[in-house]
Amino acid sequence: MLKERLIVAAFCIFALICCAAGMRLSEKISVPAQQPEAESATSESYIKWVDFSPTYSALSDAMELDISTYKTQRHLSWIDTLSYLACKNGGNFSGYKRSQLDKLVEALGDDMTPDDLMRENKYYNFYKKAYGAVLSGMLGEYTKAAPDGSGGIKAVEGYGLRAYSPIAEGFWFSHYDDFGDSRSFGYKRRHLGNDLMGSIGTPIAAVEGGTVEAIGWNRYGGWRIAVRSFDGKRSYYYAHLRRNKPYKEGLEIGSKVRAGEIIGYLGMTGYSSEENVNGMNVPHLHLGMQLIFNEVQKEGNNQIWIDMYSIVELLNRNKATVVKDEESGEYKRVYDIFDDTYPEDMRHLTTLPQTDVTEQ
């Protein structure tokens, strides 16, 4: 009898622990109102774990090669070349050297692709899917507004970075690779983002276009926003926003935002069960990227978060130029950008009202 009671007691304790863990996880981000189409929850074919480790040098070299070969017979996608390098380095880029990329180009010759070269490698397709999920929205064709040299604005087309630094042009920040560091508020856990230290009120830009799927108070992230990319693969998490006025006016769940659009302001809220409290010691933006290969991964124990440190370094090359509206105190981006992944109702440049690029 005593043995049976001990077993029952142990089971109850285990159940309580599981419930507590589930509550903690559910407080991080609310479930979005609308979910994009995904694989069946019973499918076993989706990726369940990604360790994204390319260094800034590897990302930069692969991106520059991609841009320089675009619209040539030997266009080399940076997703393909980075996947090749991941296979060659066992997924660890700490020893990466530019010579590895040069050797790849030499090995390909005039008529081979990385796909041809790595046809027999059982890991290559995994890295292509994983790295494609991380990077597919960041590089590509775009149409953007730009100064015309005489005080006006014109539309220009190009190919390159169409994702933005989360910190607007003209505002300072500092950061280091703190992904995986320990955190203890509420419960012990790993840090699943990159903290960008800056000044309170610094305008925060959307890294990529997408739909707001969560917004409001959370005791861990304070005032925070989650934006899901239009292809459904990435959810960007912007946390610890400014007290009292954290967001762009009118932003709500379901709002569509453009890459580089100002969505909020840096602060130090969070680490408090009481709403609108500065519970952090240092003003900063917590930026995270969650990968979703199947909607069952959005909440719970199977979430995939990646290290964004090197990506943030790369995005420093593309910052949103902003201007302050003195009447409202809001910052607005000056030069809009469009890419063909945007929904139909966003296929125009907002800073050029007459420029409709729907047909491009």
Side-chain angles (χ1 to χ4, degrees), residues 118-255:
M118 304 299 287
R119 195 180 304 279
E120 302 301 320
N121 189 296
K122 62 181 180 180
Y123 298 110
Y124 179 70
N125 284 335
F126 165 81
Y127 282 116
K128 278 195 67 168
K129 290 180 181 177
Y131 289 8
V134 176
L135 300 171
S136 59
M138 295 191 180
L139 190 67
E141 293 181 339
Y142 58 77
T143 302
K144 67 168 58 176
D148 64 4
S150 58
I153 298 177
K154 64 180 181 180
V156 297
E157 295 181 349
Y159 180 88
L161 266 180
R162 55 188 185 188
Y164 282 79
S165 167
I167 304 297
E169 184 180 50
F171 293 84
W172 74 274
F173 79 94
S174 65
H175 70 146
Y176 65 94
D177 194 351
D178 55 346
F179 186 84
D181 287 357
S182 178
R183 294 291 186 270
S184 59
F185 176 81
Y187 65 102
K188 191 172 182 180
R189 63 198 184 281
R190 294 172 61 233
H191 185 231
L192 300 177
N194 185 207
D195 286 347
L196 283 61
M197 315 301 173
S199 300
I200 291 178
T202 294
I204 303 303
V207 171
E208 187 181 344
T211 304
V212 175
E213 64 176 357
I215 189 168
W217 181 262
N218 167 296
R219 67 172 176 155
Y220 300 102
W223 294 119
R224 89 285 191 242
I225 306 172
V227 178
R228 186 74 165 265
S229 61
F230 287 128
D231 66 7
K233 296 177 181 178
R234 294 165 296 286
S235 183
Y236 294 91
Y237 187 59
Y238 309 82
H240 308 309
L241 301 179
R242 181 175 63 183
R243 192 162 68 96
N244 297 327
K245 194 173 182 180
Y247 313 121
K248 170 188 172 181
E249 188 175 349
L251 211 61
E252 59 186 17
I253 290 180
S255 296

Side-chain angles (χ1 to χ4, degrees), residues 243-277:
R243 192 162 68 96
N244 297 327
K245 194 173 182 180
Y247 313 121
K248 170 188 172 181
E249 188 175 349
L251 211 61
E252 59 186 17
I253 290 180
S255 296
K256 295 174 184 176
V257 301
R258 297 165 177 268
E261 180 179 337
I262 301 306
I263 57 174
Y265 300 93
L266 188 147
M268 51 192 298
T269 60
Y271 276 34
S272 173
S273 56
E274 185 180 347
E275 189 172 293
N276 201 34
V277 170

